[in-house]
Amino acid sequence: MTDALLVETRKAAAAAWWRQAAVYQIYPRSFADANGDGIGDIPGILSRVDYLRDLGIDAVWLSPFYPSALADGGYDVADYRNVDPRLGTLEDFDAMVRALHARGIRVVVDIVPNHTSDLHEWFQEALDAGRGSAARERYIFREGRGENGELPPTDWVSVFGGPAWERVEDGQWYFHNFATEQPDLNWDSREVREDFLKTLRFWSDRGVDGFRIDVAHMLTKDLTEPLPSRAELELIPQDGKHPLIDRDDVHEIYAEWRRVFDEYDPPRTAVAEAWVSTPERRARYASAEGLGQAFNFDLLVADFDAAQFRSIIAENLAQSKMSGSSTTWVLSNHDVTRHATRYGLPALNGRPVKQGTEWVAAGGPESRLDRDGGRRRAHAATLMLLGLPGSTYLYQGEELGLHEVAEIAPEQRQDPAFFRGGEFDGLGRDGCRVPLPWTASGASFGFGSGAAHLPQPAWFAEYAVDAEAADPSSTLSLYREALRLRHLLQAGESLEWVDTGSDDVLRFVRPNGWQIVTNFGVVPFDLGADAEHVALANVEVEGGLLPGEATAWIAPEGLNPGR
Ligand code: GLC
Ligand code: CA
């Protein structure tokens, strides 16, 4: 190979790092607290970079660490180009990026473009400047209905529950898709668009490798009068022309962002959080002319069930062919009940169910949770996921097998979704955001030197990093081994299904010969001669049999994956 060709090849490989990456999501306020104030911070992350290296992930994605009043866990951003002083400084951020890069770990940050915090200087200016001002044009202000404008412009409800309009002192109303403290921006405003380009360049210049785009499908709106009622709104198909959701014109924004990403070498990457109606519509966000990749949340609402997994995998692989992107896999994140817990509760097709006054999912009543079974099924599902083509997003704490924390008193809860009675499994999302246990004893289990900002239950001791690191049969050891071997099997972005003769067993082979077998049922599955080549499994494979609720990775013949 000539030198020039070699350089080109290396460049192409560097640019494609994201296609099959294992990305670890850090929820900074709950990861590690360096100064003992109960809130995780950037120096805390810096102190744990070796843990991240040993885990074997390719990148981290940080949920928002920007200045925020925490009306929505940081997704209410008061300043997009700064670090919350409680979490550190820009210099701390730079030091963290350097330390991660030195360990071969890429850095993805969260961009929240649909709304700002009500404390953002733009919104404060809009309140002061009054009706008809240019400052109000950056947001969505309207006159109310009724004789004195005392009724909201429409009866729409916010995603977190409760009205989607809030009245300000001079009588106008502003629109908020989420909490009252999260006014929606007006993406018709050129100034708004320019400011986000500035933000993307700001972080790219600091060495950030990619971006996760919050509610990427909601930015553009058509609010031409007369506005539909809530009931009418629900009947409008989400096919590109809906007034609020997944409008075709949102892609003009991302085309402009793509030009910014491509100013960098390697180009910056992006992944869309887009809860849209079909895989076809999702593919638009993942196109190379747009954000490049989109989250696939299908497994978040699926049971631990072979048929459901198989059709979701097949559909998403087909979708990635359509977009030219790679598939993404997610079992847990900061918005949903942890998957160990989901799989330990009665199969509900992933959806929470209210029985009387009690929520059955969402960490539900302890009595209904099968802790060990849930964790075993979570292991099997995760091992399958890590063997699939595409990139996998892991959420902090899942590598410890953590369950959702149900035991948080109402007065200790923080999630606006809990207080506004909206979506998110009835109990809200605090249960998956409880600070990590690093040590089996000590104040806040080694998270910091004082109490953590959300209460940690006594059972966290069992899941502590120090306990699990010392135990070869722990979840942490399983993740480390899987992430190490994963680098060997992620060649080629495809798979071929192998018939197993059982409805409960899925088996596929990757282009380089690695095979993944998952037994979703309870009857052991005979691996035959392949049992000799099992390189990894979440349970003991004995007598050639893969027990129920288990996944095995079978190495190609002649390959010794070593230890
Ligand atoms: C996204 C985030 C969620 C947040 C919401 C509003 O769905 O993942 O945590 O509450 O957007 O920003
Ligand atoms: Ca702190």
Side-chain angles (χ1 to χ4, degrees):
M1 216 186 268
T2 64
D3 282 358
L5 191 58
L6 195 66
V7 169
E8 280 313 303
T9 315
R10 289 230 175 102
K11 266 192 164 177
W17 69 266
W18 54 275
R19 293 192 70 93
Q20 304 218 53
V23 186
Y24 180 86
Q25 181 189 355
I26 293 181
Y27 192 74
R29 289 177 178 80
S30 298
F31 187 68
D33 170 20
N35 65 355
D37 67 353
I39 302 171
D41 41 46
I42 305 275
I45 301 172
L46 182 58
S47 73
R48 302 291 181 185
V49 287
D50 286 340
Y51 173 77
L52 297 167
R53 177 201 56 205
D54 295 346
L55 187 55
I57 41 126
D58 302 301
V60 292
W61 145 35
L62 306 187
S63 277
F65 48 82
Y66 316 110
S68 168
L70 302 184
D72 180 23
Y75 284 89
D76 46 323
V77 180
D79 178 356
Y80 290 88
R81 298 185 285 272
N82 215 334
V83 174
D84 187 329
R86 283 169 295 185
L87 271 65
T89 61
L90 280 169
E91 288 67 40
D92 292 332
F93 179 85
D94 293 342
M96 178 198 71
V97 170
R98 273 196 306 274
L100 288 165
H101 281 170
R103 285 158 184 78
I105 299 171
R106 300 217 159 61
V107 181
V108 173
V109 302
D110 221 306
I111 297 290
V112 189
N114 180 69
H115 43 266
T116 69
S117 156
D118 58 345
L119 298 180
H120 191 285
E121 60 174 25
W122 276 358
F123 194 72
Q124 291 301 314
E125 203 187 318
L127 291 182
D128 292 346
R131 21 165 80 69
S133 62
R136 285 207 177 172
E137 270 306 296
R138 300 188 191 113
Y139 292 92
I140 300 168
F141 278 89
R142 290 287 184 278
E143 299 302 335
R145 290 168 302 153
E147 222 166 290
N148 303 304
E150 71 283 5
L151 296 172
T154 66
D155 60 350
W156 299 348
V157 288
S158 81
V159 173
F160 292 154
W165 296 94
E166 182 74 10
R167 200 171 194 195
V168 301
E169 231 165 70
D170 62 26
Q172 270 203 316
W173 297 76
Y174 70 87
F175 177 68
H176 59 92
N177 250 321
F178 294 89
T180 315
E181 297 86 351
Q182 292 168 300
D184 277 46
L185 284 165
N186 169 19
W187 275 88
D188 288 339
S189 155
R190 190 61 220 164
E191 202 188 347
V192 167
R193 293 193 184 211
E194 291 291 343
D195 197 69
F196 274 87
L197 300 180
K198 198 167 159 188
T199 295
L200 296 174
R201 288 199 178 95
F202 178 85
W203 294 108
S204 298
D205 290 342
R206 293 196 106 86
V208 158
D209 302 278
F211 301 95
R212 177 262 187 191
I213 313 303
D214 192 64
V215 290
H217 59 304
M218 286 179 151
L219 275 47
T220 55
K221 283 135 192 146
D222 176 9
L223 299 184
T224 336
E225 313 272 344
L227 295 172
S229 68
R230 178 185 180 187
E232 285 161 352
L233 195 64
E234 273 165 15
L235 295 177
I236 304 178
Q238 296 182 11
D239 61 357
K241 289 169 209 71
H242 188 278
L244 298 179
I245 298 169
D246 188 24
R247 294 178 52 75
D248 288 338
D249 53 17
V250 78
H251 297 288
E252 293 162 17
I253 297 172
Y254 301 133
E256 200 172 11
W257 289 18
R258 172 50 56 192
R259 289 194 286 277
V260 173
F261 300 150
D262 289 349
E263 287 166 11
Y264 293 86
D265 179 22
R268 299 320 190 221
T269 66
V271 56
E273 185 211 21
W275 295 84
V276 297
S277 54
T278 62
E280 288 77 14
R281 299 225 40 104
R282 195 194 302 143
R284 298 171 173 234
Y285 293 82
S287 87
E289 296 74 44
L291 294 175
Q293 198 181 45
F295 280 123
N296 149 27
F297 293 134
D298 298 348
L299 291 174
L300 296 181
V301 287
D303 294 317
F304 182 77
D305 173 89
Q308 291 181 44
F309 267 65
R310 167 126 188 193
S311 70
I312 288 171
I313 292 166
E315 204 175 292
N316 281 283
L317 287 173
Q319 182 212 320
S320 68
K321 285 222 175 83
M322 205 148 54
S323 66
S325 183
S326 61
T327 38
T328 57
W329 306 108
V330 185
L331 287 171
S332 282
N333 65 28
H334 67 297
D335 288 332
V336 299
T337 301
R338 286 187 178 278
H339 67 289
T341 302
R342 292 204 310 273
Y343 296 150
L345 291 164
L348 298 165
N349 198 16
R351 262 159 235 117
V353 167
K354 206 168 190 177
Q355 288 185 354
T357 55
E358 278 184 335
W359 288 92
V360 180
E366 282 295 294
S367 56
R368 293 206 191 86
L369 177 63
D370 170 8
R371 267 181 193 274
D372 292 344
R375 188 149 57 146
R376 185 173 60 245
R377 292 184 273 274
H379 288 172
T382 299
L383 279 196
M384 174 172 218
L385 234 62
L386 289 173
L388 286 167
S391 59
T392 298
Y393 287 79
L394 306 167
Y395 176 53
Q396 71 177 41
E398 69 164 273
E399 79 279 21
L400 305 174
L402 277 188
H403 275 285
E404 188 83 359
V405 179
E407 49 279 64
I408 306 174
E411 63 275 14
Q412 291 172 309
R413 291 196 176 265
Q414 300 174 7
D415 184 2
F418 174 77
F419 297 105
R420 297 177 68 97
E423 286 180 12
F424 303 110
D425 300 6
L427 279 176
R429 302 164 293 176
D430 294 314
C432 63
R433 299 175 178 183
V434 175
L436 291 190
W438 292 92
T439 53
S441 58
S444 59
F445 298 103
F447 166 68
S449 57
H453 70 96
L454 276 169
Q456 301 158 300
W459 53 262
F460 258 34
E462 270 172 65
Y463 296 77
V465 171
D466 66 349
E468 294 207 15
D471 173 5
S473 70
S474 68
T475 308
L476 181 58
S477 298
L478 185 70
Y479 270 66
R480 284 180 176 168
E481 186 60 3
L483 287 162
R484 187 182 74 80
L485 289 178
R486 187 172 183 273
H487 290 118
L488 298 178
L489 69 78
Q490 291 291 9
E493 281 182 33
S494 60
L495 60 74
E496 240 174 81
W497 295 103
V498 178
D499 187 29
T500 64
S502 161
D503 288 346
D504 285 333
V505 183
L506 297 185
R507 179 179 196 141
F508 59 84
V509 58
R510 296 294 303 272
N512 55 2
W514 279 85
Q515 292 185 68
I516 313 291
V517 187
T518 301
N519 185 353
F520 288 85
V522 290
V523 182
F525 177 76
D526 193 349
L527 291 171
D530 283 330
E532 299 281 313
H533 303 285
V534 170
L536 183 69
N538 61 311
V539 293
E540 213 54 58
V541 174
E542 272 172 319
L545 295 179
L546 179 66
E549 304 184 333
T551 294
W553 287 15
I554 299 166
E557 218 159 318
L559 184 110
N560 176 9
R563 288 223 158 230

